[in-house]
Structures are given as C-alpha cells and as structure tokens.
Amino acid sequence: MRRIAFVPRPAGFRFYHTHVVAGADLNRGTYTGQVGPLYIEPKDNPGAYDREVFLVLKEFEPSFSRGGDMAMDFLAGEPLKDLQEMGKKADNEAQEKTKGYEVGYELFSINGKMLGHGEPIRVKQGERVLFHVLNASAGETRSLALPGHLFRVVALDGNPVPAPTDVPVLWLGTAERISAVVEMNHPGIWVMGDLADDDRKRGMGIVIEYAGAKGKPQWTKPKPFRWDYTQFGSPNASPAKPDETIEMTIVKHNGALNGFNQWTLNGEAFSMQAMKPMYKVREGRRYRLQFRNASDDIHPLHLHRHSFDLVRVGGKPTAGVIKDVVMLGGFQEIEFDFVADNPGLTLFHCHQQLHMDFGFMALFDYA
Ligand SMILES: [Cu+2]
C-alpha cells in the first residue's frame, strides 16, 4: 500500500489512470480497468443545471490487428501537402511494408456497462443535465450523440471555455474530457451513443429515458459534423507572445519495432535509459509548442503537470481554450502555449498507449 497526500489543482474534471508501459502486453497499462474520473469541485459554481451525470467511456477485451477503422475525418482543418510528403518518405523507408499493429476491442461500455445492460439515465422534461464525459480508452477516439438533443459544451478537460457552444456531437480523443449541458426537451427513450455502429452495437452507449415514455430505445445518426476546438475559444483575443517556440515533427516508422510502429519526435524515439529527447525550460517563461504531424494518425497530445492554451488549430487562430490533452489531426499542425510554472521533470506524450510505449514521449526539465 502507498499513501499519497496532495493538494488537488486545478479545479475541474480530471482523469486518473495507471501510467505503466504496456508494450506488447494487453493486460497492462490503460488496456486494463485501472482508470477513472476525478472531479475537483471549484470554489465558485454558478450551478446553472439541475443535476450532474458522470460518464466514463471504456473498451475491454483488446486484441492486436493490422490496420484499424478509427474515424479520421471529423476534425476541422485540412491535411498539409508537405507533411503528407514527409509521411510518404517515411513509408518508403519503412522496414515493413504492411501497417504496424493496432489494437481493437470486443466490448464497449459506459460506466462499466454495455448499452442496454445498465440502468438507464432517467430524466424529466425540461431538466438541464450536466454531463461530464471522460474518454478513458487506451487509444480510441470516441464520439457521443443523443438524437434530437444538443450538447452545450461548457468546459473542456475540466476548464471552462470562453464561448459555451451548442453542438450535435461530442468528439473525444483518448484521455480528453468534456462537460456539456443537455436540456431535456425531446421526450422519448433514446440511445445516447457512439457514432460508430459496430462500437455502439457492442456496447458503447447508454439509454436516456424520459419519465412516462414507453417503447424501445431509439437511435438516429446525426448529420456529419466537424469537431473544431476553436469554436469554443475567444475569436478576437490574441494570446501573449511566447518567449520561446519549440517545433516538434512527428514521424511514424511502419513496423520498425518487431511489427510495431515506432514514433519519433524531431527524429528521436523516446528512450527511458537515455531520457531523451529532453527539452529545457525556465520558470516563468511562456513556451509555444508547434506540432507537425507527418502521420495519418490522430494523436491526443498530453502534457503533464501544466495546462496549455490553444493558439492555432487546423490553421485557425484561437485563444482561451485551456486544455491538457488535445487531438492533432493526421498531416495537420497544432500550436499551444504553456507557462513554465511548475518546476520539476515534466513528461509530454501521446496519450495513445500504443504510441507512447513505442517512442512518442519527451521530457521537459527546468533549467
Ligand atoms: Cu499518438
């Protein structure tokens, strides 16, 4: 047993999980159930809702496959030609011409129950329900829709957004969190679930049941919708100028590690022994990280011990969207700023277990 005492901060919706390296062992790391939500009550809470419901999205029974069927085209922004060229070059140099291993799942759940097996969420007409949604996956992107309803996104990764906005679908990369209010104004019995039919049929959903409604839970597919972080930001605010800019280019090396894809940041795969790559920062300075993704995969980028401010996403400038995980689209760029305000070794990594275990990590240290 180990007992740890700490002051929880910042307030908001957080994610706790094992950080063990799983590598090729699907019984370790975040492939297991060693994950959960943690809510740190803010000091002030206007409470503009009637009740709160926490939802943890999690897959079980993982297995290896070659190639996957994950949604790719839902993020705003277009792929960049030079990054595609760079990716093509890496593919040509790859040791294996087949795609590296990916992980798929048999079972899908919300709050530990497959769709139709747990208690429904029972609501009354006119109720405002604040959902706190956590994607606790080891590597999947998740979506969530509730037919006939909109989600008013009020916080991302536990941090209130400058511009709360109504959206028909939520999209969450691994480890991302969304807090959104749904006004229950469309009586019936509904499936709130993932847009991927296979995943929803194998459990990724939960029933919403209005008082007095009868019948089978209904699902209808929402219209295509692009997820754009900048719609929740301040359109006119310009972020403070950074003291320093660090560029990181992400490259995939197909099957380079016994059939597993290897990931490099600026040409280096992270090594636990060498503790490289390592970036030095100075306390109090503002750093801009510019990520260039030369792979077709979406990466949920995560920085430990700091929150960051999105600056540019898919070519669009923004400000005020504070996060600790953000999805970087295939062959796209993203920029965010963080202030070095928490001295100590700080890990940066892709939150996909399969990526961080095979090179996609870096360390920041304070000078
Ligand atoms: Cu990744």
Side-chain angles (χ1 to χ4, degrees), residues 263 297-300 350-352 355 360:
W263 296 90
D297 300 61
I298 291 169
H299 301 292
C350 175
H351 223 297
Q352 271 227 42
H355 296 181
F360 202 144

Side-chain angles (χ1 to χ4, degrees), residues 22 48 66 72 78 102 118 151 161 172 224 241 297 322 333 343:
R66 295 273 187 173
M72 290 292 176
E78 296 306 321
E102 299 291 345
F151 296 91
V161 294
L172 304 99
K241 274 221 159 62
D297 300 61
I322 311 294
E333 292 181 336

Side-chain angles (χ1 to χ4, degrees), residues 14-87:
R14 310 284 147 211
F15 177 31
Y16 69 86
H17 58 87
T18 174
H19 221 302
V20 159
V21 175
D25 185 349
L26 296 179
N27 294 306
R28 305 186 77 195
T30 51
Y31 299 118
T32 69
Q34 294 177 51
V35 298
L38 178 78
Y39 190 71
I40 305 170
E41 292 278 357
K43 274 193 183 129
D44 302 303
N45 184 351
Y49 50 86
D50 298 306
R51 53 194 274 230
E52 283 170 294
V53 174
F54 287 80
L55 301 176
V56 178
L57 282 43
K58 182 76 181 142
E59 306 82 4
F60 292 95
E61 304 234 333
S63 61
F64 287 117
S65 61
R66 295 273 187 173
D69 58 354
M70 234 192 284
M72 290 292 176
D73 54 356
F74 64 91
L75 281 175
E78 296 306 321
L80 300 175
K81 283 261 151 36
D82 63 324
L83 292 171
Q84 285 174 321
E85 286 303 316
M86 210 184 290

